[in-house]
Amino acid sequence: MRPQPLAACLALAVLLPLGAAAQPAPAPAAPSAPAPATAPVPAAATPTGSFDNGRVLAYTCQGCHGITGYKNAYPSYRVPKIGGQTQQYLTQALTEYRQGKRRHPTMQAQSMSFSEQEIADLAVYLSTVK
């Protein structure tokens, strides 16, 4: 194995738990009055992505997707180019890996570490990368 990807994986293994611990706990929700029975149920809001946070999060993607012609071991196949894909495609792909609808051990593990907001952030950033 090449030392650079190994070092990146080790750095991620150390830094990801630290980043999760540094995030503030969400504030408790204030009690609200129940909605009237005739009120329509609003659709779930899709998170709006943050370009800057997506740029930071995409560091983990570049270990495989940033290497031209890279093949991985699950099984050995060419890693697709993700830079420049549409936000919709990137969001759908990561969400489907997270839900188990798409099967790839590495991508399932990666996607499980991202929240819906982080997936939106990644999609915004990666859609601009050429």
Side-chain angles (χ1 to χ4, degrees), residues 82 85-94 119 122-123 126-127:
I82 56 174
Q85 295 285 355
T86 66
Q87 289 181 34
Q88 180 182 5
Y89 170 79
L90 293 165
T91 300
Q92 180 179 352
L94 282 170
I119 288 174
L122 280 165
L126 290 171
S127 67

Side-chain angles (χ1 to χ4, degrees), residues 16-79:
L16 281 177
L18 294 176
Q23 293 180 356
S32 61
T38 59
V41 177
T46 304
T48 303
S50 163
F51 178 88
D52 291 330
N53 193 42
R55 183 171 38 88
V56 172
L57 292 170
Y59 176 78
T60 64
C61 306
Q62 295 191 4
C64 297
H65 294 280
I67 301 171
T68 304
Y70 181 76
K71 292 184 178 188
N72 66 22
Y74 295 109
S76 182
Y77 78 82
R78 191 168 298 282
V79 176

